Amino acid sequence: MKIIPVVLCGGAGTRLWPVSRKNHPKPFLKVGGESLIAQTVRRAAAVVQGDTTADVLLVSNESYQFLLQDECLPVLNAAAAGARLHQILEPAGRNTAPAIALAALWAQALHPKERVVLLVLPADHLISPVSTFVETAHKAVTSALKGNLTCFGIQPTAPETGFGYIQKGASLEGLPGVHAVKRFVEKPKLDVAMEYLASGEYLWNGGMFALEVSSFLSALDSLAPDVRSSAQAVWAQAKSRADKASGGQIVQFDASAFAQLPDISIDYAVMEKAANVAVVPAGFQWSDIGSWAALAEQAQADAAGNTQQLEGRGELISIESQGTHVRVGDRTVATLGVSNLLVIDTPDALLVADKSRHQDVKKVVDALKAKGSELVNLHPTVHRPWGTYTVLEDAAGYKIKRIEVKPGASLSLQMHHHRSEHWIVVTGTAEVTNGEAVFLVRKNESTYIPAGNKHRLVNPGRMPLVMIEVQSGDYLEEDDIVRFQDNYGRA
């Protein structure tokens, strides 16, 4: 028997704007100094601890491949020695049913002679303590091995109208702490949610599952044959390659075939129709961090009910303020005589909202989308396979960036038609290709790359390379890059 944690890393997290954006979504939000995806992988590793050949699978959009490796590999290596990190990279989002179907087909191909239980976990939940989560997960796995499609039920603490509910039935014989499921209920009205809470029979649907692969694929065959057949067709065209950094597999798909997958959740496709569905009531504390108000609840409040989240070098000055949550970045934020506000500060956008409107932040995102604003998609700091760049200033005719290159990493051999670049090394040593010349540029030295020259930047050292890049020209966008060679398949 093999347990494979499957971490689903998707969703835009629009209610957590301006920190969550399309190209840096909610799973990368840091809570307590560590991203939600890293915390999820740490919990997953705790479940399979002791298995020296453990596999952990990430299912995400292909654009997050390298950012996910940066976040998850160090955590997995530290928490579960010998474990392999695998990635299924989707060209587009198609919801949880096809994502889990592809994960099941992948697991079946990887371990054809073993019974495999997929432990399906969203990447953006906050759970504590980990020990109770592990205990709950093993109960769910035991239930799955009995042929049950098993979900985790969260003990409700309030009559929430934004969650789905599970009505638990009788205890299952031979499975302590596991119940049959009577029914699933979609987001109820407030009066109904209050009845559910008072009855003690209902649990929140936490979106976590334990699914034995053969049982799940059989359920797809009978209940959602279109999902099964289309997933099988997509899988037949999948391309898999080994990844040296993670020790695992990278799986990618044909985009046109992938687009034919039904866009449907696992709940609608299977769980709400199947007869063999079980639920394990979870004893751990849980939050899906669905809004800034939910995140504020995780922080320690002062005597006036104020909370803060420190994520940079800045500080909070709070004077005669009450019930206000402030996210502080790299600058000082001051509140004076305010109450019940959300103040979320980032380098390029500031959100100020009444706490009671925390579910409406997505309206701001919709307004920005209507204007075509890049504030929906990108932060000033953009992650690349080789490191990051941060736009410090962007004006007509020039752009200034801070570039950080990981030790041993290399940018592509490239050329620009419309811009020249000045590079000034701040920390570390750069190996520069400029036309036919290859040379080193050390701290406090600089070089110039004319438009039209083939060039490359490499960090040959063991420390991060930090440099300032000044671009000059009549067109300075990222699509003015012609790549000739690239270590990351982008040429």
Side-chain angles (χ1 to χ4, degrees), residues 275-292:
N276 57 326
V277 182
V279 61
V280 181
F284 47 74
Q285 294 181 345
W286 172 89
S287 174
D288 73 339
I289 309 295
S291 69
W292 286 112

Side-chain angles (χ1 to χ4, degrees), residues 366-377:
D366 290 340
L368 290 168
K369 283 181 179 178
K371 294 174 62 177
S373 173
E374 279 300 301
L375 290 172
V376 172
N377 300 318

Side-chain angles (χ1 to χ4, degrees), residues 381-418:
T381 296
V382 177
H383 292 262
R384 289 289 185 257
W386 44 261
T388 63
Y389 71 81
T390 303
V391 178
L392 304 177
E393 188 166 350
D394 189 354
Y398 72 93
K399 184 183 292 186
I400 303 174
K401 289 182 177 180
R402 178 190 184 274
I403 294 177
E404 183 167 332
V405 185
K406 301 173 190 175
S410 168
L411 281 68
S412 57
L413 179 65
Q414 59 185 253
M415 180 266 286
H416 310 295
H417 289 292
H418 301 284

Side-chain angles (χ1 to χ4, degrees), residues 16 50 72 94 116 192 237 247 272 278 291 343:
L16 290 165
C72 301
R94 303 305 291 165
V116 177
V192 177
Q237 299 182 55
E272 294 181 6
S291 69
V343 181

